Amino acid sequence: MGRDFYAILGVGRSATGDELKKAYRKLALKYHPDKAKGSKEEAEKKFKEISEAYDVLSDAEKRKIYDKYGEDGLQAGMGDGSAGFQGANGFHGNFNFRNPEDILREVFGNESPFGSFGGGFSFGGFGASPMDTDMFGGMGGRRSRSSRVSKGEAVIHHLPLSLEELYEGTTKRLKITKRIVDGASGKTVPATKVLTIDVRPGWKKGTKITFPEEGDELPGIVPSDITFVIDEKPHDRFTRNGNDLEVRVNITLKDALCGTTAHIQSIDGRTLDVHLPSVTTPETAKIIHGEGMVFIIGFWKSGVGASGKGR
C-alpha cells in the first residue's frame, strides 16, 4: 500500500496547499540533519521522507493519483491521460521524487534557514546531478559549513506566585505574542499562543519551565526557547526556609512566664494549637512536623516553626 504521506506531514486528507507548506516548513526545520538531535542517518531518512511526502501532496496531479492508487500507483505510473498527468510530468512507469534542494528553494525562497543553497543533495532517487554536493555529509559528498542552523537566544520571563500557590499547586495559562512564518507568503506575521504551566506543589523560587522553540520564527534562525522562572511573592505571615515555613508569634509577658497555647493559622487555613512552655524567650522555637511545604519527591510535608516573642 505504500506510505501515508498525510501522516508523515501530520495533516488531514483535506489539507490545503497553505497547510501543507506550513507543515513542511515546520518539519524541515525540525529534522534537517544539521539541526536534528540524535542520529544523522535517521535525520537524513526522515528529512528525505518529508520531502517526498510534500513533493506528492503539493502537486495537484500527483496528489490525485496518490489519493486514488496510493504510493504504489505513483511508482507504477498510474493515472488517466485526460488529466494530462503522464505526459506533463513524464514519469509514466518510472516515477522519481524531486530533489529536496529544489523543494527547499521553492518553499523557503531566498531566505533559506539552512544557509546557502549553493550545495546540493546526493540522495539516491532525488534526481540530483553528478555535480551536486551533499549538504549533510555522510552520503558521499561534503558538508557545507554554511548550512549550519543558528538558534535564537532563550527568552526569559519571571512568573511571580504566592506561597499558597506554591503550597497547593496551580495551573497558569499565559498568553504570549510572537512572530511566526506564514506558510503561504514566507513572511513573518504576528500571532498569539497560550502556554500552560502546571505548577506542582512544593516548587521553589528559581524553578525553570522551558517551552522549546516557542519564540519568534525568523528566516535563517531556529525559534528560541521560552523559559519561565518562578518567583515567590512575599507572604504577610510566613517566611519560607527551604521546605520549612517559619512564623513569629507575639505573646504577652505573662504568657511568656507562665506558658500558653498559641493558635496559629496554617498556610491552608486550618488552625493549629501550639503549646508554649513556661519561661518562653524570644529565641524559643517550636517545630510542628508535617505542616510545612510539600516535598516534590514523595509529596511529604516539612515542618512549620513557631517562635515566641515577649512583649
Side-chain angles (χ1 to χ4, degrees):
M1 294 181 60
R3 295 166 294 176
D4 185 343
F5 289 148
Y6 291 99
I8 290 172
L9 291 181
V11 297
R13 299 189 71 86
S14 61
T16 64
D18 287 347
E19 290 170 338
L20 290 170
K21 185 175 290 186
K22 183 177 181 180
Y24 171 81
R25 292 176 69 97
K26 181 178 180 180
L27 292 171
L29 287 170
K30 182 176 181 181
Y31 290 107
H32 187 280
D34 275 349
K35 186 227 176 244
K37 298 179 181 179
S39 169
K40 290 292 183 183
E41 183 178 348
E42 288 299 318
E44 289 166 356
K45 180 180 178 181
K46 184 67 176 178
F47 191 80
K48 178 174 180 284
E49 191 173 51
I50 293 165
S51 299
E52 292 174 345
Y54 181 77
D55 177 26
V56 171
L57 299 183
S58 63
D59 184 292
E61 296 299 342
K62 294 178 185 178
R63 183 174 180 177
K64 179 180 178 181
I65 291 181
Y66 174 78
D67 287 343
K68 188 174 183 179
Y69 300 105
E71 184 182 6
D72 293 341
L74 282 171
Q75 298 289 355
M78 293 181 180
D80 55 36
S82 62
F85 179 66
Q86 297 172 355
N89 293 276
F91 62 80
H92 178 72
N94 186 29
F95 174 71
N96 287 312
F97 292 104
R98 293 167 59 199
N99 190 324
E101 180 186 6
D102 295 335
I103 297 175
L104 278 175
R105 185 181 291 109
E106 174 186 294
V107 174
F108 286 95
N110 294 324
E111 296 178 338
S112 167
F114 309 114
S116 172
F117 277 115
F121 295 79
S122 59
F123 293 109
F126 276 83
S129 70
M131 297 300 294
D132 287 341
T133 55
D134 178 25
M135 288 178 68
F136 302 150
M139 299 294 291
R142 61 180 178 84
R143 179 183 298 273
S144 170
R145 294 185 179 181
S146 63
S147 64
R148 293 188 179 276
V149 182
S150 61
K151 184 172 184 177
E153 294 184 5
V155 179
I156 307 296
H157 297 285
H158 289 272
L159 179 60
L161 297 174
S162 68
L163 192 57
E164 286 82 0
E165 289 175 319
L166 294 172
Y167 176 84
E168 296 284 355
T170 186
T171 298
K172 293 292 184 179
R173 294 178 176 84
L174 308 170
K175 185 176 181 180
I176 64 169
T177 300
K178 61 178 184 177
R179 300 193 68 81
I180 64 172
V181 177
D182 179 66
S185 65
K187 298 180 180 179
T188 57
V189 295
T192 59
K193 185 172 184 178
V194 176
L195 302 179
T196 301
I197 298 178
D198 292 319
V199 178
R200 293 183 59 182
W203 275 6
K204 299 179 180 179
K205 178 180 179 179
T207 299
K208 295 181 179 180
I209 309 95
T210 298
F211 293 87
E213 299 182 10
E214 286 291 353
D216 290 337
E217 296 180 9
L218 298 173
I221 299 178
V222 177
S224 60
D225 298 339
I226 294 182
T227 298
F228 291 90
V229 181
I230 299 297
D231 273 346
E232 184 179 299
K233 297 178 182 179
H235 198 271
D236 59 350
R237 291 183 298 115
F238 289 103
T239 300
R240 184 175 182 176
N241 182 8
N243 287 315
D244 295 333
L245 297 176
E246 298 175 350
V247 59
R248 298 191 68 84
V249 179
N250 293 322
I251 59 176
T252 64
L253 178 60
K254 177 183 175 180
D255 289 338
L257 294 174
C258 301
T260 188
T261 298
H263 305 290
I264 301 173
Q265 187 178 27
S266 67
I267 188 68
D268 57 357
R270 293 173 293 110
T271 299
L272 305 176
D273 296 329
V274 181
H275 175 69
L276 298 177
S278 57
V279 191
T280 297
T281 70
E283 288 74 33
T284 298
K286 188 79 172 180
I287 297 176
I288 308 171
H289 294 286
E291 293 294 342
M293 296 297 290
V294 176
F295 286 99
I296 295 178
I297 301 177
F299 290 93
W300 293 98
K301 290 184 179 180
S302 186
V304 59
S307 62
K309 183 179 181 181
R311 60 180 175 84

